[in-house]
Amino acid sequence: FLSFSFRSVQISEAEGKGQILPPTIQKIIKGYNKYLRPFFDNGPVSVGMSLDIASIDTISEINMDYTATIFLRQRWTDERLCFDGNKSLSLDGRLVEMLWVPDTFIVDSKKSFLHDITVENRLIRIYPNGTVLYAIRITTTVACSMDLTKYPMDKQTCTLQLESWGYNINDVMFYWTRGNDSVRGLDTLRLAQYTVEDHFTSVSEAIYETGRYPKLVFHFELKRNILYFILETYVPSILLVVLSWVSFWISQSSVPARICIGVTTVLTMTTLMMGARTSLPNANCFIKAIDVYLGICFSFIFGALLEYAVAHFCTLHRPSSKELPKIFVLAFGFKVLTELQEARTFKKVRLELMSNPMSSESVAVNLLTSKVMKRLFCIFDCFHVKNPYHIDNYARFSFPLSFIIINVFYWVYYLYF
């Protein structure tokens, strides 16, 4: 019934072109109904696919997508197109409108277009056994979900998914013509920031409310080249941290010089941090590896500025030579007082034990109180800065050592875990 209803429409379309088509094509097209798929009453039609990746133009972390130009080739057998002969027929791409073709679409495509310069980039080739080769050139922008936690030492796995729009698995079956070798071009592809490490193909089904549809998936893994980021971000940030340590070798009395180095390095590091985020999503829920490193560098630079603030504060509040004897007397007096207190405590404990051997709990409390007071005095004495000029000496050793240790942990974690 469908064949009869569309026959008149198809004949009217072919009559206009029948005057210019060769006899072989006229014989094939005569009575052909492009609105009915091959093997309409005899099971699904198998469609084989292969890809050539011409280029991957853009990989955007902000939009989470990539733009690629591909050559998509589809093969299927249509028993209605068989003809006598031993050579294939290459037809004009505009004749594809007269034949049935699969309704293949790219699942995650945001924007796609078929090239039409100088004519539509289509190829139709028919073989004597009815096999049809249909090739098109497409540029498409495809969504790719990216995990930027280890950026710029990250690896991203993107996919290119091909499905049938209207024909379910009872009508059409998809398969890769040569398995993993069905996709070519990636081995010779050169990208600006990435290297294609691995790629493979898979066959699955897409399940929707309207049914189960054939699906082909091409997976490829991209590894980011870190050399650019080392030269652009990591090396400048390390040099800024080292520059902030120069203030440790400047006299504490040179206030303008040390403040100038501290403030300049802090502002420069802030600018570097802002520039590193220009090519990344503005709103995200994860902290990237480059954010962690820049935060570490900023902390060391800001710490160097705070170190001078502490050292200068201690220098201003350092007692003069006239006040030193008084402080020594007070410290010596406190020490003598503590020792006398301990002696009295032990004497009291001994007398209490002699008079009342059962009062061991009171003895333990007195001894514990004496020890706690002594420990507190030792702790306060450790925090007391006897010579503020030694703070710079400690910083010259502790800052570089801490920075080296943190760098070792950082690179080992993000490169190997």
Side-chain angles (χ1 to χ4, degrees):
F1 173 76
L2 293 175
S3 177
F4 178 77
S5 61
F6 290 117
R7 185 179 301 274
S8 59
V9 178
Q10 187 68 25
I11 291 175
S12 62
E13 293 178 357
E15 284 179 350
K17 300 178 181 179
Q19 303 296 330
I20 59 176
L21 294 178
T24 304
I25 302 301
Q26 293 184 27
K27 183 179 179 181
I28 294 175
I29 297 301
K30 184 178 179 180
Y32 184 87
N33 190 349
K34 69 176 183 179
Y35 300 104
L36 297 180
R37 66 174 179 83
F39 306 103
F40 183 75
D41 296 326
N42 193 19
V45 56
S46 297
V47 179
M49 296 193 185
S50 63
L51 294 173
D52 271 2
I53 308 296
S55 65
I56 297 181
D57 306 319
T58 306
I59 301 176
S60 174
E61 291 82 9
I62 297 178
N63 300 321
M64 296 285 184
D65 57 28
Y66 67 92
T67 302
T69 299
I70 62 175
F71 295 91
L72 174 61
R73 300 184 178 92
Q74 305 177 79
R75 294 175 182 268
W76 68 93
T77 300
D78 193 341
E79 76 283 3
R80 299 169 296 180
L81 298 178
C82 296
F83 63 92
D84 297 331
N86 55 5
K87 294 183 179 180
S88 61
L89 297 176
S90 295
L91 307 180
D92 189 282
R94 286 166 288 191
L95 293 179
V96 71
E97 299 176 358
M98 303 177 61
L99 303 177
W100 178 90
V101 294
D103 56 349
T104 308
F105 76 102
I106 301 174
V107 179
D108 296 325
S109 176
K110 296 181 178 179
K111 181 177 61 176
S112 302
F113 65 90
L114 178 68
H115 290 262
D116 56 0
I117 302 298
T118 58
V119 294
E120 288 190 350
N121 295 172
R122 293 181 176 182
L123 180 147
I124 285 287
R125 186 173 296 163
I126 303 177
Y127 294 86
N129 63 349
T131 300
V132 181
L133 171 62
Y134 177 47
I136 54 177
R137 180 171 172 241
I138 305 173
T139 294
T140 178
T141 301
V142 185
C144 177
S145 180
M146 299 182 183
D147 182 9
L148 300 176
T149 305
K150 291 189 175 182
Y151 176 92
M153 291 167 280
D154 57 327
K155 295 181 180 180
Q156 306 297 338
T157 300
C158 298
T159 60
L160 181 66
Q161 305 180 44
L162 302 173
E163 290 184 13
S164 174
W165 175 255
Y167 294 105
N168 57 31
I169 59 176
N170 297 322
D171 300 319
V172 174
M173 295 295 295
F174 285 172
Y175 68 95
W176 294 106
T177 55
R178 296 182 299 272
N180 288 337
D181 294 332
S182 301
V183 181
R184 298 178 178 178
L186 287 179
D187 297 334
T188 58
L189 201 62
R190 295 293 180 267
L191 303 179
Q193 287 191 13
Y194 291 90
T195 302
V196 181
E197 283 205 329
D198 190 19
H199 60 89
F200 60 94
T201 59
S202 64
V203 181
S204 61
E205 295 179 359
I207 301 175
Y208 300 102
E209 184 179 355
T210 54
R212 303 163 68 94
Y213 298 87
K215 180 178 182 179
L216 297 181
V217 184
F218 169 58
H219 312 259
F220 58 99
E221 187 178 84
L222 299 172
K223 181 180 180 181
R224 196 183 304 273
N225 299 325
I226 194 176
L227 180 61
Y228 167 80
F229 298 93
I230 289 178
L231 299 177
E232 186 75 12
T233 304
Y234 284 96
V235 171
S237 60
I238 292 174
L239 294 179
L240 284 175
V241 173
V242 175
L243 179 62
S244 68
W245 298 340
V246 175
S247 63
F248 300 152
W249 277 265
I250 300 177
S251 174
Q252 293 185 3
S253 59
S254 302
V255 178
R258 297 194 66 163
I259 292 296
C260 180
I261 291 179
V263 173
T264 302
T265 51
V266 167
L267 294 178
T268 308
M269 193 67 206
T270 303
T271 305
L272 189 64
M273 294 173 67
M274 295 176 62
R277 297 183 59 87
T278 54
S279 61
L280 296 175
N282 294 326
N284 48 56
C285 301
F286 42 81
I287 299 177
K288 297 170 287 296
I290 195 169
D291 295 334
V292 174
Y293 195 83
L294 293 177
I296 292 172
C297 294
F298 184 84
S299 301
F300 272 90
I301 293 174
F302 191 72
L305 182 61
L306 290 182
E307 182 272 344
Y308 176 64
V310 173
H312 188 65
F313 177 82
C314 295
T315 303
L316 294 177
H317 292 76
R318 185 183 180 186
S320 61
S321 57
K322 297 181 180 179
E323 296 175 346
L324 287 177
K326 298 180 180 179
I327 295 177
F328 289 150
V329 170
L330 292 175
F332 179 75
F334 183 78
K335 185 176 181 181
V336 171
L337 182 62
T338 304
E339 292 177 355
L340 290 175
Q341 182 67 26
E342 290 182 357
R344 292 175 182 175
T345 301
F346 283 111
K347 183 177 180 181
K348 183 178 180 181
V349 168
R350 186 176 59 183
L351 293 175
E352 190 170 352
L353 286 175
M354 293 176 61
S355 61
N356 187 10
M358 301 300 294
S359 60
S360 58
E361 295 182 1
S362 178
V363 172
V365 171
N366 291 333
L367 290 175
L368 181 62
T369 304
S370 177
K371 290 183 179 180
V372 168
M373 292 179 62
K374 189 174 182 180
R375 290 288 178 87
L376 290 176
F377 175 75
C378 293
I379 292 174
F380 289 133
D381 186 64
C382 292
F383 282 101
H384 175 66
V385 181
K386 297 179 180 179
N387 189 352
Y389 295 99
H390 290 170
I391 297 178
D392 285 342
N393 295 332
Y394 298 146
R396 294 170 189 173
F397 173 77
S398 60
F399 272 70
L401 180 62
S402 302
F403 189 68
I404 292 173
I405 293 175
I406 291 176
N407 267 271
V408 170
F409 279 105
Y410 174 87
W411 292 105
V412 169
Y413 175 77
Y414 281 105
L415 289 178
Y416 299 102
F417 293 96

